[in-house]
Amino acid sequence: GDSVTQMEGPVTLSEEAFLTINCTYTATGYPSLFWYVQYPGEGLQLLLKATKADDKGSNKGFEATYRKETTSFHLEKGSVQVSDSAVYFCALSDRTNQGGKLIFGQGTELSVKP
Amino acid sequence: GAGVSQSPRYKVAKRGQDVALRCDPISGHVSLFWYQQALGQGPEFLTYFQNEAQLDKSGLPSDRFFAERPEGSVSTLKIQRTQQEDSAVYLCASSSGQGVNTEAFFGQGTRLTVV
């Protein structure tokens, strides 16, 4: 079945460092791809998404590009802040599924130190 | 309310007890999803409603799990005869549409601990 694999955490960075969180997927169809973020004590929030190959999703300085040839959707940010400390989840949704249910990776915890 | 509301936020149940978890979706949202998130893992799909119809329950782990949404708004996830492996955070999400391009909004979850 469809699946998502993320790099394991926790990831600890200093403020203003460059961030990459790797995400690869396996899907029988042509999925849409998402990054969700979970800040401490809060619910999951959609960070960005991409629905077709070579699309780039971006939000709050984060970016991810849908790479069909490498089945990847890596999350990047050029300069992280302490407020970016959270758990990040990569997810896919099979577009053939009318419900749009999400399949998540295991999450990557990011800790940014001042 | 402004977002998806779940209650209770925390629930401790003795093994063998029945529990009911409530989800109030965003008003007017057609689609509603339940997910189970074990400690240190990503959420896993349980079931999906479109209005009052339960269109997909493929993720329910056993027949002890039952979900309903009788009027197409509030939903309840019921777990009968709880087991320790049921300990997890149960997340509810709603969206205004039914396609993959419709954003799903998540509640803060109910943390269930079975002792």
Side-chain angles (χ1 to χ4, degrees):
Chain A
D2 295 357
S3 66
V4 175
T5 302
Q6 291 179 234
M7 64 184 284
E8 290 192 14
V11 173
T12 302
L13 296 174
S14 297
E15 208 165 18
E16 300 183 3
F18 184 86
L19 169 71
T20 299
I21 300 178
N22 290 337
C23 171
T24 57
Y25 68 90
T26 302
T28 53
Y30 188 172
S32 292
L33 302 175
F34 307 82
W35 277 100
Y36 278 81
V37 59
Q38 189 169 35
Y39 297 104
E42 299 184 16
L44 280 167
Q45 301 174 26
L46 178 63
L47 180 60
L48 54 84
K49 69 179 182 183
T51 57
K52 62 182 188 295
D54 300 324
D55 266 2
K56 178 185 284 187
S58 61
N59 186 26
K60 300 182 180 179
F62 291 90
E63 293 182 339
T65 301
Y66 190 143
R67 300 288 188 201
K68 197 165 187 287
E69 64 276 14
T70 55
T71 62
S72 65
F73 193 55
H74 304 321
L75 183 68
E76 296 183 336
K77 186 174 185 182
S79 176
V80 293
Q81 305 301 312
V82 172
S83 57
D84 294 327
S85 298
V87 182
Y88 293 81
F89 293 92
C90 186
L92 69 81
S93 182
D94 182 350
R95 66 184 65 236
T96 64
N97 182 330
Q98 290 189 346
K101 74 184 185 188
L102 295 162
I103 296 171
F104 288 88
Q106 74 272 31
T108 302
E109 182 179 2
L110 170 65
S111 177
V112 181
K113 305 297 185 187
Chain B
V4 178
S5 178
Q6 292 187 244
S7 60
R9 288 291 312 279
Y10 303 91
K11 176 69 179 178
V12 178
K14 291 185 178 178
R15 193 170 52 182
Q17 267 187 323
D18 297 349
V19 298
L21 313 180
R22 178 186 169 103
C23 173
D24 283 86
I26 293 173
S27 179
H29 275 194
V30 168
S31 298
L32 185 144
F33 304 83
W34 283 98
Y35 291 83
Q36 179 190 58
Q37 186 177 14
L39 187 64
Q41 300 298 313
E44 291 193 357
F45 171 81
L46 293 177
T47 188
Y48 159 64
F49 290 86
Q50 184 181 322
N51 296 307
E52 68 278 4
Q54 189 175 19
L55 298 186
D56 186 344
K57 52 182 180 179
S58 61
L60 296 176
S62 78
D63 59 7
R64 296 186 296 104
F65 286 71
F66 171 77
E68 59 183 7
R69 193 185 186 199
E71 297 178 0
S73 179
V74 171
S75 178
T76 304
L77 177 67
K78 298 179 179 177
I79 309 173
Q80 297 177 322
R81 304 180 304 281
T82 53
Q83 304 295 314
Q84 284 191 317
E85 62 263 28
D86 300 334
S87 295
V89 175
Y90 290 85
L91 299 172
C92 177
S94 70
S95 68
S96 60
Q98 58 189 79
V100 296
N101 290 321
T102 306
E103 180 178 350
F105 294 85
F106 283 80
Q108 291 183 286
T110 294
R111 182 178 298 277
L112 172 65
T113 303
V114 181
V115 298

